[in-house]
Amino acid sequence: MTQKKNVTFDDIAKYTNFSKTTISRYFNNPDSLTLQNQEIIAQALIELDYKENKVARILANGKTEFIGIIIPNLILHYYSEMLNQILSTYETFGYKFLVFAGNEQEETERQYIQELLAYKIEGLIILSHTIPSEELAKLPIPIVTIEREDRQVCSVNSDNCTGGRQAASLLHKHNCEMLLHINSPSNPDIPAYGRVQGFLDYCAEHQLKHRLILRETGNSHESMQMHLTNILDELAQLYTGLKKGIFISNDTQANVLLNLLYRKYGRLPEDILLVGFDNSPVSREAVIPISTVGQQIDKLAYEAVSLLVEQMNERKKRRPVPLTEPVHKIIPTVLYERETTRS
Amino acid sequence: MTQKKNVTFDDIAKYTNFSKTTISRYFNNPDSLTLQNQEIIAQALIELDYKENKVARILANGKTEFIGIIIPNLILHYYSEMLNQILSTYETFGYKFLVFAGNEQEETERQYIQELLAYKIEGLIILSHTIPSEELAKLPIPIVTIEREDRQVCSVNSDNCTGGRQAASLLHKHNCEMLLHINSPSNPDIPAYGRVQGFLDYCAEHQLKHRLILRETGNSHESMQMHLTNILDELAQLYTGLKKGIFISNDTQANVLLNLLYRKYGRLPEDILLVGFDNSPVSREAVIPISTVGQQIDKLAYEAVSLLVEQMNERKKRRPVPLTEPVHKIIPTVLYERETTRS
DNA sequence: TTGTACGCGTTATCAC
DNA sequence: GTGATAACGCGTACAA
């Protein structure tokens, strides 16, 4: 294990003339010992420099206090910040996290899950999109997903639909004559599709001229630049003279769009308003601060862990009552109005 | 542990009429069984739906295959990308990672380390700056630090000094008449200070007019904007007419600087050249791409894990030869010339 | 090639 | 309040 022999309960027992059991009780139920004996053991622990061994404890009582995480990557700010917030729940719940970055390789992620199960994780948080929820639901431990397809499993998602409405209404408020939503073509059963739906609903309800532009823009910065350049050209041609309100699916792309405009005009043209999504740092640090619909990543993370912990606790009861149906929590989005929508 | 009783080696042994030992060997040294018997066991595993239990294995053989990580946060791209790269070494080395984000709270991080030790991690990677290396060196497991004070422990660092030189030489190449380096006042024994040293050395060797501006700019975007605005004003006054080459300590700040200039002039003035540090995404995604000195985060991460694994393996030998002295690996930096240094 | 017996360090179940 | 003893599930000398 480590260097030499480790001090064990046996050593402490011999040293103090108690039994192993009593030493164990000192840790798990100290009140059952006399204060005096607690003192004696406490002293012995120091003198022997005892270090606890949680692996042995796990084997004996089955509680690892591990939660597994499968996350697509840590390159996107959204994911790294989410992991950050998940890790910080350690202070509240005490669970430790075993983290795998899956890179969206389905088979690889299956192996990760097996590995995690072998380490007896008590619950699993999934952010990656590869493995269908039907399959996840069959795993022998509680699962919570965040912002992904979640028909068969518990989940925590942003209120994307309201988010889409917020964006549309902001553009509406500033009297845009043409509302545009740029997004990538995606499956309606992932939560992010709600942004499209919310946008469309708002426009329909208020009878606004609008258009939905679904286009794959790729992942690289270059490819995004290229596709967005094309889109900007189209818009300039089609809607000359009209005040255009653009709602784009995330802040990274909003930033690219804004920079393209700045390089061309040295500023944001007055007939273009821009709203992003995520409230990621780039939205604040852009050449001018970008209006955006923010996800409350801290709350998403906290609720995900909290929901998971509830279920893990339920299983530890003598008569566990499993959920009859997956729970889906919704976290509100927050509108940040900044300089790209000041007319 | 999980739901019902788990299938164990004992069950498989009874099912197949082998002994537990043989089942164990099937996993750890399959060649010592006849092919036929391997088949029989393989079949039984499927029929019984056996799931391995690594916790028990750890207790028996002492090898957790866990590496602990203490990282300050995942908000800065540098750290999240580093964690990303560290996690991805799982494919190569097979070690699992227990991650704590420390937020630079010294006492908290000490507790994290104790917790990690209780889980019998075999090695520890430290990126946070709080705990002095003397203290880390006393821990009973191998340690590797990345880009922090490392007098008493093994470490992996970027070649910051050459990085500083690269930046200076790039500005020199473009005939800047005044070289400036903006950084925060930092302790010379952290690796990042090498950037300052490299810059100064280069200027001295080539007898270039230069100035070092050490100033605390704070962590928030607003405070950075404020301080950098002041600095820009000073420079404009002091060095009017001179072609100024600015090397700034990281890309985030370079981006702020660039945006300030763009907002003021609608472009990067011709008498200012700009070089950042890190090659973080913002340097590519800025209003115009920023020249920068890149750290090879993938290599830093790989070398850190690799260095750690070497030492962990050494400890597993019958006669371990501990290092007499900490090993310090240096990873070269890479210069990326982009639009902020095109005169 | 295969089996026996014991150890790993803790917790759980009974006793007293 | 305390102690003996048996789990927990697997690895490993040593023996056969």
Side-chain angles (χ1 to χ4, degrees):
Chain A
M1 218 133 260
T2 44
Q3 202 75 300
K4 302 292 170 68
K5 284 246 169 69
N6 272 312
V7 179
T8 73
F9 282 12
D10 248 335
D11 301 323
I12 307 168
K14 277 167 194 152
Y15 190 83
T16 56
N17 290 321
F18 286 110
S19 71
K20 274 202 308 191
T21 316
T22 304
I23 310 302
S24 173
R25 270 197 276 267
Y26 170 81
F27 286 99
N28 296 310
N29 188 12
D31 295 340
S32 68
L33 310 196
T34 61
L35 269 175
Q36 200 181 3
N37 286 347
Q38 290 184 37
E39 283 297 334
I40 295 175
I41 295 176
Q43 193 57 38
L45 292 182
I46 296 168
E47 283 164 18
L48 295 177
D49 189 29
Y50 170 75
K51 306 283 184 196
E52 56 179 344
N53 183 341
K54 296 220 177 183
V55 175
R57 167 209 279 257
I58 293 169
L59 187 60
N61 76 1
K63 291 169 193 159
T64 58
E65 299 183 335
F66 281 149
I67 290 176
I69 299 181
I70 308 237
I71 198 163
N73 62 64
L74 297 174
I75 311 212
L76 295 181
H77 168 267
Y78 177 76
Y79 289 125
S80 56
E81 174 62 11
M82 186 69 79
L83 182 58
N84 201 31
Q85 295 295 339
I86 291 175
L87 293 182
S88 76
T89 64
Y90 171 76
E91 303 295 338
T92 313
F93 297 105
Y95 283 87
K96 273 69 63 181
F97 296 95
L98 272 168
V99 186
F100 281 101
N103 297 312
E104 301 284 351
Q105 316 253 341
E106 189 163 353
E107 220 21 74
T108 313
E109 293 186 359
R110 284 211 179 80
Q111 286 170 28
Y112 291 166
I113 291 179
Q114 288 311 311
E115 179 95 357
L116 288 169
L117 290 177
Y119 278 102
K120 299 299 162 187
I121 54 168
E122 299 184 43
L124 183 55
I125 295 180
I126 304 258
L127 289 109
S128 76
H129 290 238
T130 60
I131 301 178
S133 65
E134 291 98 301
E135 186 178 337
L136 295 175
K138 288 179 193 146
L139 294 175
I141 53 171
I143 311 280
V144 171
T145 66
I146 302 178
E147 283 278 320
R148 50 151 284 159
E149 178 267 300
D150 57 359
R151 277 175 309 241
Q152 313 273 342
V153 292
C154 291
S155 68
V156 177
N157 299 313
S158 276
D159 187 352
N160 286 280
C161 193
T162 303
R165 286 170 172 277
Q166 286 172 311
S169 87
L170 177 62
L171 297 172
H172 182 200
K173 184 181 93 181
H174 287 286
N175 307 311
C176 289
E177 298 156 298
M178 181 70 196
L179 267 59
L180 300 141
H181 178 39
I182 304 176
N183 210 321
S184 51
S186 69
N187 201 315
D189 64 25
I190 73 167
Y193 188 80
R195 300 171 200 178
V196 176
Q197 199 56 56
F199 172 85
L200 292 177
D201 288 351
Y202 185 93
C203 291
E205 287 163 20
H206 295 78
Q207 305 187 323
L208 304 175
K209 264 180 73 176
H210 66 277
R211 183 172 149 214
L212 180 61
I213 304 177
L214 294 182
R215 207 164 302 176
E216 203 55 76
T217 49
N219 286 318
S220 79
H221 189 246
E222 289 67 28
S223 118
M224 273 169 38
Q225 275 186 323
M226 192 190 71
H227 285 95
L228 292 176
T229 304
N230 293 342
I231 291 177
L232 277 180
D233 288 348
E234 283 178 43
L235 298 185
Q237 281 191 2
L238 288 173
Y239 310 113
T240 351
L242 286 185
K243 189 165 175 184
K244 296 171 276 294
I246 303 179
F247 168 39
I248 190 162
S249 55
N250 64 60
D251 289 334
T252 305
Q253 302 213 22
N255 181 54
V256 171
L257 209 56
L258 181 64
N259 285 341
L260 288 172
L261 293 167
Y262 251 82
R263 297 186 69 148
K264 192 159 178 187
Y265 304 108
R267 60 185 178 79
L268 181 63
E270 276 159 20
D271 64 340
I272 297 186
L273 278 73
L274 185 60
V275 184
F277 205 100
D278 281 344
N279 188 33
S280 53
V282 69
S283 69
R284 263 171 290 118
E285 295 165 9
V287 56
I288 61 172
I290 300 172
S291 296
T292 187
V293 177
Q295 305 203 53
Q296 301 188 76
I297 298 183
D298 52 345
K299 294 200 175 138
L300 288 162
Y302 181 89
E303 289 301 327
V305 178
S306 167
L307 184 55
L308 196 60
V309 169
E310 266 176 44
Q311 293 173 69
M312 297 187 307
N313 287 339
E314 185 63 37
R315 299 219 173 187
K316 289 175 189 163
K317 292 184 185 163
R318 39 195 71 242
R319 270 196 44 35
V321 184
L323 293 172
T324 54
E325 202 149 289
V327 174
H328 302 296
K329 290 210 180 183
I330 303 293
I331 308 296
T333 51
V334 179
L335 182 66
Y336 295 88
E337 178 154 17
R338 305 211 178 98
E339 294 187 29
T340 55
T341 53
R342 303 241 163 89
S343 37
Chain B
M1 217 133 264
T2 46
Q3 203 77 301
K4 301 292 169 68
K5 283 249 169 65
N6 272 311
V7 179
T8 73
F9 282 13
D10 248 334
D11 301 322
I12 307 169
K14 278 166 193 151
Y15 190 83
T16 56
N17 290 320
F18 286 110
S19 70
K20 269 202 319 188
T21 317
T22 303
I23 310 302
S24 172
R25 269 196 276 267
Y26 170 81
F27 286 99
N28 297 310
N29 188 13
D31 295 339
S32 68
L33 311 195
T34 60
L35 269 175
Q36 197 180 5
N37 288 345
Q38 291 185 37
E39 284 297 332
I40 295 175
I41 295 176
Q43 192 57 38
L45 293 181
I46 296 168
E47 284 162 19
L48 295 176
D49 189 29
Y50 170 75
K51 306 283 184 194
E52 55 179 345
N53 183 339
K54 295 221 179 183
V55 176
R57 167 210 280 257
I58 293 169
L59 189 60
N61 75 4
K63 290 170 194 159
T64 58
E65 298 183 335
F66 280 150
I67 290 176
I69 300 181
I70 307 238
I71 198 163
N73 63 65
L74 297 174
I75 310 210
L76 295 181
H77 168 266
Y78 177 76
Y79 288 125
S80 55
E81 174 63 10
M82 188 69 79
L83 182 57
N84 201 30
Q85 295 295 338
I86 291 175
L87 293 182
S88 77
T89 64
Y90 171 76
E91 302 296 336
T92 313
F93 297 106
Y95 283 87
K96 272 70 61 181
F97 296 96
L98 270 168
V99 186
F100 281 102
N103 297 312
E104 301 284 354
Q105 315 254 340
E106 188 163 355
E107 220 21 76
T108 312
E109 293 187 0
R110 283 209 180 81
Q111 287 171 27
Y112 291 166
I113 292 179
Q114 289 311 312
E115 179 95 357
L116 288 170
L117 290 176
Y119 279 102
K120 301 298 162 189
I121 56 168
E122 298 185 44
L124 183 55
I125 296 180
I126 303 258
L127 289 109
S128 77
H129 289 239
T130 61
I131 301 178
S133 65
E134 292 97 302
E135 187 178 336
L136 294 175
K138 288 178 193 146
L139 294 174
I141 52 170
I143 311 279
V144 171
T145 66
I146 301 179
E147 284 277 321
R148 49 151 284 158
E149 177 267 301
D150 59 359
R151 278 175 308 241
Q152 312 274 341
V153 292
C154 292
S155 67
V156 177
N157 298 313
S158 276
D159 187 352
N160 286 280
C161 193
T162 303
R165 286 170 171 278
Q166 287 172 310
S169 85
L170 177 60
L171 297 171
H172 182 200
K173 184 180 94 181
H174 287 286
N175 307 311
C176 290
E177 296 156 299
M178 182 69 195
L179 267 60
L180 299 141
H181 178 39
I182 304 175
N183 210 321
S184 52
S186 69
N187 200 315
D189 65 26
I190 71 167
Y193 188 80
R195 300 170 199 178
V196 176
Q197 199 56 56
F199 173 84
L200 292 177
D201 288 353
Y202 185 93
C203 291
E205 285 164 19
H206 295 77
Q207 305 186 324
L208 304 175
K209 262 178 76 175
H210 67 279
R211 184 173 147 212
L212 180 61
I213 304 177
L214 294 181
R215 207 165 301 178
E216 203 56 74
T217 49
N219 286 318
S220 79
H221 190 245
E222 290 66 29
S223 119
M224 272 168 38
Q225 275 186 322
M226 192 190 69
H227 285 95
L228 291 177
T229 304
N230 292 342
I231 291 177
L232 277 180
D233 288 346
E234 282 179 43
L235 298 185
Q237 280 192 3
L238 287 171
Y239 310 113
T240 352
L242 285 185
K243 188 165 175 183
K244 296 170 277 294
I246 303 179
F247 166 40
I248 191 160
S249 53
N250 63 61
D251 288 333
T252 306
Q253 304 215 19
N255 181 54
V256 172
L257 208 57
L258 182 63
N259 285 342
L260 288 172
L261 292 167
Y262 251 81
R263 296 186 69 148
K264 192 161 179 184
Y265 304 108
R267 58 184 179 79
L268 180 64
E270 274 160 20
D271 64 340
I272 297 185
L273 277 73
L274 184 60
V275 184
F277 205 99
D278 282 344
N279 188 34
S280 52
V282 68
S283 68
R284 262 171 290 117
E285 295 165 9
V287 54
I288 61 172
I290 300 172
S291 296
T292 187
V293 178
Q295 305 203 52
Q296 301 188 75
I297 297 183
D298 54 343
K299 296 205 174 135
L300 287 162
Y302 182 89
E303 288 300 328
V305 178
S306 165
L307 184 56
L308 196 60
V309 169
E310 266 177 44
Q311 293 174 68
M312 296 186 310
N313 287 339
E314 184 63 36
R315 298 220 174 185
K316 290 175 190 164
K317 292 184 185 163
R318 40 196 69 243
R319 269 195 46 34
V321 184
L323 293 172
T324 54
E325 200 149 293
V327 175
H328 302 296
K329 289 211 181 183
I330 304 293
I331 308 296
T333 52
V334 179
L335 183 64
Y336 294 87
E337 179 154 16
R338 304 210 178 99
E339 293 187 31
T340 57
T341 53
R342 303 244 163 87
S343 36

